[in-house]
Structure formats: C-alpha cells, structure tokens
Amino acid sequence: MAHVAVIAFFAVYPIVYGPLTGFPALDVGVGIVDPGALFDAFLPATTFLIAMLFLGLFAMSFDFVSGYTGYLSFGHAAFYGIGAYFIVLVANGKVPGLPDSTPFMVTMLLGALLAVVFALAIGAVSFRLSGVYFAMLTLGFAQVLYQLVRNWDYVGSNPQQGPNLAGPTPEVGVPYVDSLSVALGRLAGDSFENVLGTGIDVSATMTSYYAIGIIVVLSYFAMQRIIHSPFGRVMIAIRENEERARAVGYNVFWYKMAAFAMSAFFAAIAGALFAAYRSSAAPDTTFYFLVTADALIVTIIGGIGTLAGPLFGAFAFEWLEDVLSSQQGGLAPYLRGGLPESVLNADVAGVTFLDVINTVIDGRAPLYLGIVFVLFVLFVPNGLLGSIRDRLGGTVANRLPAHIERYRR
C-alpha cells in the first residue's frame, strides 16, 4: 500500500504541477495573492524530479552494499561513470564490435555488466580489508579511473569536459520495436498531445520522467527482492556480525563480492540514464568522488540501510536545490518579484534586504544542504525513513495499515 501511494504521488505530480503553478493572481481586497507564484517558488519542477531519479537510483545502489553489508563504498562513482561513458561511447561508434545504432536498452545493460566486471576486480583487492581501509581503497580506484578518463583523448576532443552523445537519441522501451519505445531528452525526446483523449499533453520532459521512473521503480523492486531473499539476510548478517556469519558456514567474502557487483550493476544503470537524458557525460559529473558524496548525503538524510530512504533523501536534496536556485521559479525570484521596492531596498547598516536575498538565498543550496546533513547526523542518525520505521515499530508497508486502522476506531 505504501509503495502504491508513493508511486501514485510521483506519477500524478507532473500532471498537477502545471495547473498549480498556473493559478492566476487573486485580489482579496487588502492585497494581491498569487498562489501560482507561491507554488512555482516552493514546488520542485519536473526537471529536478528527473535529477532526483538519477541520484535516487545511484544512492539506492550505494545503500544496497553500504547499508546492508556495512562496507562503505566511497568509490561508487566509478560504476556510475562506467555506465554513463559506455552508452555515450557506443552511440559515438567508439566501442569495437558495437555499432552506433545499438539500442540504448542493450548498451545500458552491457554497460552495467561491464561495471560488474570492474566491481569484481576492485572488490577482489578491497575486500581483503575492512572499515575505513576498504572505503579508502575503493575511493583510490575511482580516482584512478577519474584521472584516466579525464586525460584520455580517445573519449572525446576535450576529455576534461567529456564527450557529447552524437549518435541516435537514446530510447527506453523494447529494443528494435519503435512503437514500444520513447526517446529521452528535454529537447530531442518524444512528446504527446491529448493523450488517450484526456486533453493532457505530455511534454518531452514528462516523457523522459516517466520512462526513467519506470526503470528506477523496476530497479528498486529488484534490489528489494534481493534484500528480502536468503542472500539478503546473509548480507545483513555480515553487517551485524561478520565473524558470526563466517562461523556458521557462510563464505562471507563471496557474499560481499556478489553484493558489491550487484550494487555496481544498478549504479551503472543510473549513470546510463543520466548520460542518456543529458546527451553527454563528463568526468566531474560521473567519476568524481563528490558524486559519491552526494549519494552518501542523501542516503544519510533518507536513512541508511532502508533502500527506499535514499530516494526520499534525493527528493529533499533536489527540492532544496530547486527552491534555492533561480533556474525555474525558486524562493529568490519570488521574493524579488513579490516584495515592494521599499522593503527590498531597506538599508540596515549598509546592507539591503535585496543584498541578503542575493547573498544568503539565491544559489545557496549546498550551504543549507551541508547544515541539514550535520543536523541529521547529530539528531536524526537513522534518517527520515529509518526514524519513521522506529516510530512505527517496523517497515512502513507493514505497520502503516495497522496504525491507520487504530485511528479510524
């Protein structure tokens, strides 16, 4: 029930977002009230939700191995980058044996399998250590790949900026069946008018959002199924007490290797979706260690070891990014346009309120995200979803119906 509610919310959101932000201003006698501008300032745009899907899936793959085995993979960006670069290089005809016309769904899976191979190689060395040494080893491997890609002329004319996707527009759906596939991209993606006679137009951005969202949901349920299987219970046993898991007969090394490889697979899927929607890949947005840091932050905020929590953490991350930026709506443009000139230019000790907006609000999402991260580590260590589960006494899906029923009596 909880899963259905969350999926329904994200499915309906882009449809109602347009009408909400299009509300006309109202004269209420004592002044003008503009609900459309208010919604535009505080509701995240669909483009930010697409970014949430990339980051959410990547963070879930990070949580899959880090939250359920207890081994923090600080070099997880390497697998995200492999997925992103692989689909771009194939589309640009730079991978021997694979023509540039290879369907995106095929190259995405091949890129994910390539990430699995890299994960097995990195894991074979890194899992000889544990704790901070394991984290540093994975980070070291990722930095090696980052520097390699950043200075490898073969990937593009300017490897430091990364290659652009020059081949066919990536399509999500059934390979080789055009009628069951949709093109991704804000500009080159497919759009539809008056869908099924409902009068609803689906823009290219919305099409990409739904197509990417389907892959993210399928990936989430696949990871959840693994975690709730006997294999997943061994992962949790390793996290809780690795020596005991080994003592009862489990080969913990190969369980950790398999979990690491699976997490790399889904990280590469996230990277491929990111590069397909952006039609490009760059070392600083894929292989760089701060990409893993973003996954760590949203995982801590959402709840490490909860799988779904990182998606909610990513939603909070992107919401804050949207509200504190001026790209589409945002708090700063709302205040600049809504407050009278006398207030904006009010001077206190040589500083106007407009200066405060430009300095403290506009584009300052990283500043406040850092503060939120510190507060969560100090006061909400189990994250959003982890705290809710603690409050309910179990997972939301299992406990919420009983709580709702109790309040109905």
Side-chain angles (χ1 to χ4, degrees):
M1 179 178 177
H3 286 130
V4 173
V6 171
I7 293 172
F9 170 79
F10 283 112
V12 171
Y13 181 85
I15 299 173
V16 301
Y17 173 79
L20 287 176
T21 55
F23 263 117
L26 303 173
D27 188 349
V28 294
V30 294
I32 302 296
V33 176
D34 191 349
L38 189 65
F39 287 129
D40 192 35
F42 289 100
L43 293 180
T46 307
T47 51
F48 283 87
L49 290 187
I50 293 175
M52 175 204 73
L53 294 174
F54 306 140
L55 181 57
L57 179 56
F58 178 54
M60 283 192 285
S61 74
F62 172 83
D63 189 41
F64 182 85
V65 64
S66 301
Y68 287 91
T69 67
Y71 281 79
L72 290 172
S73 175
F74 281 0
H76 222 57
F79 311 126
Y80 188 76
I82 288 171
Y85 268 74
F86 188 79
I87 70 110
V88 174
L89 292 179
V90 171
N92 291 351
K94 292 197 170 185
V95 176
L98 290 175
D100 57 6
S101 59
T102 305
F104 166 71
M105 296 295 287
V106 175
T107 58
M108 181 177 69
L109 293 175
L110 291 176
L113 293 176
L114 179 63
V116 167
V117 173
F118 271 82
L120 292 174
I122 294 172
V125 177
S126 303
F127 279 119
R128 298 181 183 281
L129 300 174
S130 61
V132 67
Y133 301 104
F134 171 83
M136 290 299 104
L137 265 180
T138 58
L139 177 60
F141 279 115
Q143 283 301 101
V144 168
L145 291 174
Y146 169 72
Q147 291 297 338
L148 174 66
V149 169
R150 199 165 183 269
N151 295 284
W152 192 17
D153 293 338
Y154 182 77
V155 301
S157 56
N158 186 354
Q160 296 189 357
Q161 296 297 321
N164 292 320
L165 195 151
T169 303
E171 293 185 343
V172 168
V174 180
Y176 304 106
V177 182
D178 292 341
S179 58
L180 297 177
S181 302
V182 293
L184 297 180
R186 190 174 181 180
L187 299 176
D190 286 331
S191 59
F192 304 91
E193 295 182 355
N194 192 21
V195 178
L196 300 176
T198 58
I200 298 174
D201 297 334
V202 177
S203 65
T205 301
M206 289 175 65
T207 302
S208 298
Y209 171 75
Y210 288 120
I212 294 169
I214 289 172
I215 295 179
V216 171
V217 168
L218 293 176
S219 298
Y220 165 74
F221 281 118
M223 284 188 278
Q224 192 207 38
R225 186 60 256 161
I226 295 170
I227 288 170
H228 288 89
S229 70
F231 179 87
R233 286 194 282 276
V234 178
M235 290 171 59
I236 296 172
I238 292 171
R239 180 189 67 189
E240 298 300 322
N241 192 325
E242 185 172 344
E243 291 302 321
R244 183 184 299 169
R246 183 181 293 111
V248 298
Y250 291 114
N251 188 330
V252 296
F253 176 78
W254 285 109
Y255 274 96
K256 290 184 294 187
M257 287 282 284
F260 195 49
M262 292 178 197
S263 71
F265 180 90
F266 292 108
I269 294 287
L273 293 172
F274 167 79
Y277 180 71
R278 298 276 298 267
S279 295
S280 64
D284 287 347
T285 56
T286 54
F287 282 98
Y288 198 40
F289 73 95
L290 288 181
V291 177
T292 304
D294 288 342
L296 174 64
I297 289 172
V298 300
T299 301
I300 294 294
I301 292 175
I304 192 166
T306 60
L307 192 61
L311 185 64
F312 296 111
F315 180 78
F317 182 101
E318 294 299 335
W319 175 79
L320 196 62
E321 185 85 23
D322 186 27
V323 169
L324 296 178
S325 77
S326 303
Q327 293 182 29
Q328 287 181 285
L331 181 59
Y334 177 73
L335 293 176
R336 291 193 202 106
L339 293 176
E341 290 291 328
S342 57
V343 175
L344 290 174
N345 296 320
D347 192 324
V348 178
V351 179
T352 66
F353 190 60
L354 183 60
D355 293 333
V356 173
I357 293 173
N358 294 335
T359 306
V360 181
I361 297 177
D362 197 0
R364 296 294 180 265
L367 167 69
Y368 295 102
L369 191 65
I371 295 173
V372 169
F373 177 71
V374 170
L375 293 176
F376 265 76
V377 171
L378 290 176
F379 302 110
V380 196
N382 292 330
L384 293 171
L385 192 55
S387 298
I388 293 174
R389 287 180 177 180
D390 291 344
R391 180 75 176 172
L392 294 175
T395 62
V396 177
N398 291 334
R399 303 295 300 175
L400 188 59
H403 276 258
I404 293 175
E405 187 63 27
R406 188 170 67 183
Y407 286 111
R408 289 176 59 186
R409 292 173 183 169

